Amino acid sequence: MPLSGKHLLGIADLPVADIRLILNTAKSFREISERPIKKVPTLRGRTVINLFYEASTRTRSSFELAAKRLSADGLNFSVSTSSVSKGETLIDTGMNLLSMSPDIIVIRHASAGAPHMLAAHLKGCSIVNAGDGMHEHPTQALLDALTMEDKKRELAGLKVAIIGDITHSRVARSNALLLKKMGADVWICGPPTLIPVDFASYGVNVTYDMKEAVEEADVVMMLRVQLERMKEVFFPSVKEYFSLYGLDRKKLAWAKKDAIVMHPGPINRGVEIDPDVADGTDSVILEQVTNGVAVRMAVLYLILGASEEGSK
Ligand code: CP
């Protein structure tokens, strides 16, 4: 069964049935990455272009590996050495890439809405959002959900505390939207300067008190302080930020005994999380990365199935 749509632009418009389908498909794809020969012919002859206008370690590598493990032809488009540096626009770049007949373009861009703009202009292929500005990062939320299900079985009823720089976090938005759709009890926490007012409209609990967010939580998800997106000062000092909102062993003790610690990466060690906790036994941070490959395999596979249905 394919996804309901041709593109994956965000969690906001993704039906619960599609979320469930992606998670279940990812679970079935996981064993491919555990084989000595990590390859199946499923997407042989299909073409996936990674178009990343922003830096990435995890997302770009896992989309590339996902395409390779499904036998698709992958192209990593290098924006910094492309004609983007000569002023070529996003749409012109997209239209030129489309002329080479890709099946999927995976895009990361600093501007919110860039994937949606490509989807509106490029009629011949599917678009996957790999992070657009401070808006959404849907595949991150999906791999986070898969990791939570692995550890906690069911998302419904879980208390999930999402803590840190919420304002600049597309991960926070996609996670809040997905977890609410799946019935979790979501707590958003950070300094008042780093929590946008629109978050309350997602039906999540908003608090500036880390103890209230973490107390009896099943999942503590820490977010990076995104200094590169800050044009002004949002908190007085890193030391004060860590003392109020950084996760150390003392604050983690407020959560349930079997709580898991998550972080989408990259980590600012000693800013939002103590290295002792990041590398500790409660941390599932590297399992999130492993699940990223399976989720992205599922997304590529299901989207191509959907576009085949659509072209019938
Ligand atoms: N989590 C995440 O998006 O990491 P990268 O920026 O390294 O892709």
Side-chain angles (χ1 to χ4, degrees):
M1 190 180 34
L3 291 180
S4 57
K6 175 180 171 183
H7 310 290
L8 176 59
L9 301 177
I11 299 295
D13 299 326
L14 196 65
V16 169
D18 282 0
I19 294 171
R20 194 64 269 149
L21 180 61
I22 293 169
L23 296 180
N24 290 345
T25 306
K27 283 176 192 174
S28 73
F29 274 145
R30 258 196 301 223
E31 62 84 24
I32 296 167
S33 295
E34 288 157 14
R35 296 180 191 175
I37 309 284
K38 301 170 181 57
K39 213 173 187 63
V40 290
T42 314
L43 295 185
R44 194 164 49 199
R46 312 307 292 266
T47 304
V48 179
I49 296 181
N50 277 336
L51 177 58
F52 276 53
Y53 283 78
E54 280 191 323
S56 168
T57 294
R58 285 146 287 269
T59 312
R60 199 174 80 158
S61 307
S62 56
F63 266 115
E64 186 180 353
L65 283 176
K68 285 192 159 108
R69 287 181 186 173
L70 293 172
S71 299
D73 295 318
L75 170 72
N76 277 326
F77 180 85
S78 170
V79 168
S80 62
T81 56
S82 74
S83 290
V84 171
S85 64
K86 300 173 198 162
E88 193 159 36
T89 66
L90 172 62
I91 297 303
D92 281 338
T93 302
M95 292 300 284
N96 279 271
L97 291 174
L98 183 65
S99 302
M100 300 180 212
S101 308
D103 296 289
I104 296 182
I105 294 179
V106 179
I107 177 172
R108 170 172 287 192
H109 201 283
S111 298
H116 307 70
M117 198 162 87
L118 268 196
H121 282 82
L122 274 55
K123 296 297 179 198
C125 77
S126 294
I127 305 296
V128 175
N129 182 358
D132 62 325
M134 300 186 286
H135 180 224
E136 279 226 43
H137 192 350
T139 56
Q140 179 70 44
L142 287 159
L143 73 89
D144 289 341
L146 181 60
T147 309
M148 286 181 229
E149 280 198 347
D150 284 346
K151 300 293 173 186
K152 302 290 169 195
R153 302 184 77 81
E154 219 186 328
L155 299 173
L158 283 187
K159 179 176 179 181
V160 182
I162 303 177
I163 296 161
D165 176 0
I166 309 297
T167 293
H168 301 103
S169 179
R170 50 199 177 207
V171 175
R173 189 180 311 280
S174 289
N175 262 293
L177 289 165
L178 186 150
L179 289 165
K180 282 306 295 179
K181 284 186 185 205
M182 304 307 277
D185 178 25
V186 182
W187 287 73
I188 297 291
C189 176
T193 48
L194 288 174
I195 299 187
V197 284
D198 68 320
F199 259 74
S201 68
Y202 298 155
V204 300
N205 306 286
V206 176
T207 178
Y208 310 123
D209 175 359
M210 187 159 167
K211 187 168 187 198
E212 190 182 17
V214 172
E215 208 151 44
E216 291 301 305
D218 298 283
V219 177
V220 183
M221 182 184 293
M222 301 307 297
L223 297 177
R224 185 170 66 90
V225 175
Q226 299 195 31
L227 296 168
E228 78 277 15
R229 295 192 203 276
M230 294 185 189
K231 293 184 181 67
E232 47 200 285
V233 179
F234 285 83
F235 48 86
S237 70
V238 167
K239 195 171 169 197
E240 185 174 278
Y241 182 87
F242 186 80
S243 78
L244 289 172
Y245 298 107
L247 188 66
D248 55 16
R249 293 236 151 260
K250 205 171 129 223
K251 295 196 192 90
L252 183 57
W254 297 330
K256 282 189 181 153
K257 280 207 169 3
D258 62 349
I260 56 169
V261 174
M262 303 181 74
H263 193 305
I267 294 170
N268 287 322
R269 290 171 180 267
V271 178
E272 69 267 358
I273 190 165
D274 191 320
D276 186 39
V277 174
D279 304 328
T281 51
D282 305 310
S283 169
V284 296
I285 293 171
L286 293 178
E287 287 169 63
Q288 290 173 258
V289 179
T290 303
N291 280 333
V293 178
V295 158
R296 285 156 184 146
M297 286 169 81
V299 165
L300 297 180
Y301 167 73
L302 291 167
I303 282 184
L304 287 175
S307 61
E308 270 168 15
E309 286 293 309
S311 65
K312 276 178 191 167

